[in-house]
Amino acid sequence: MSRTTASIAILLALSATAAQAAVLPDPAAAPAQAAPVARRPATAEVRAAYDRADALSRSMFWADQADIDPRDPIAGVKAAQAMRELGQFDQAAETAQGVLLVQPENVEAMLEVGKAHIARGQAFYGIAALEQARNARPGDWQAWSLLGTAYEQVRRPDDARAAWAQALAISPDNPNVLTNMAISAMIQGDAVTAEPLLRRAAAQPGASLKVRLNFAMALGLTGKMGEAEQILRRDLPPEAADANLQWLRNRTGGDGVDQGRTWGSLQGG
């Protein structure tokens, strides 16, 4: 090979090496990846709007807000409340308990813990939280009322009556407290005691549909079917009123009663 030919070969080899180097990425020239955008809690306006939404929408929204900021007690409590309304009692209790890990003095979380355990039929596990809420807010009728329900569920009737009496001393004629007392009596088969309590409860301006339907039940079980029917016809669609009236007639007649039916099923769910 001549010197000229060798020089050309060397130049070609260098050119090929340079071409390969040109296609390799330059780390310094590579575009920087965009940093992940941090999620922020919703605005006060958005939160207020979700407070008016259905339970499923609220549970998803507030769970997401709690995920964004696990130290947000409002989000945790409201997520627990929505879960409880959906019947997700175990998750509600766990979520409310999680708020107390972050903020042990949060009374709303204590109440939600109690409500969730009462709803799941395991009130024993909510009593400590409810007693703590009562001690923190001795003037809060709700803490006393929930304690009464929890005590009743664990078969402490004297403690239950004392708690409800204190709740009524704080909030006289409160329909929720009166209803809790009346339901306790009906569970024991004492509709005669329940009926006047529910009559008082239903007469209050803040009485809910559930209170009125419980009143109708007590009336029917004490033989006042005419008055019970008036309430059911006023508050329920015809088919639901017919079904509930038939349940009451079967119950009071003693024939063909499905003992598995509950107060909730009598109210239409």
Side-chain angles (χ1 to χ4, degrees), residues 181-218:
M181 297 173 67
I183 289 177
S184 172
M186 285 196 286
I187 288 173
Q188 297 172 34
D190 187 2
V192 174
T193 296
E195 189 261 327
L197 291 170
L198 285 165
R199 188 178 293 277
R200 284 170 60 193
Q204 303 309 309
S208 65
L209 172 63
K210 186 173 182 180
V211 170
R212 296 195 299 274
L213 294 181
N214 276 315
F215 178 38
M217 284 182 247

Side-chain angles (χ1 to χ4, degrees), residues 130-145:
L130 291 173
E131 289 178 338
Q132 190 177 359
R134 173 204 59 194
N135 294 340
R137 287 187 193 167
D140 184 349
W141 68 265
Q142 187 179 23
W144 288 100
S145 181

Side-chain angles (χ1 to χ4, degrees), residues 20-46:
Q20 290 176 356
V23 300
L24 294 175
D26 182 357
Q33 291 185 352
V37 178
R39 293 193 300 156
R40 297 177 179 275
T43 64
E45 291 77 10
V46 172

Side-chain angles (χ1 to χ4, degrees), residues 62-78:
W62 287 113
D64 182 65
Q65 292 294 292
D67 185 58
I68 292 172
D69 182 3
R71 299 184 65 85
D72 181 351
I74 295 176
V77 169
K78 292 194 174 186

Side-chain angles (χ1 to χ4, degrees), residues 41-61:
T43 64
E45 291 77 10
V46 172
R47 288 185 165 212
Y50 268 96
D51 277 339
R52 299 187 292 272
D54 61 274
L56 178 59
S57 298
R58 283 187 285 114
S59 71
M60 295 174 65
F61 172 77

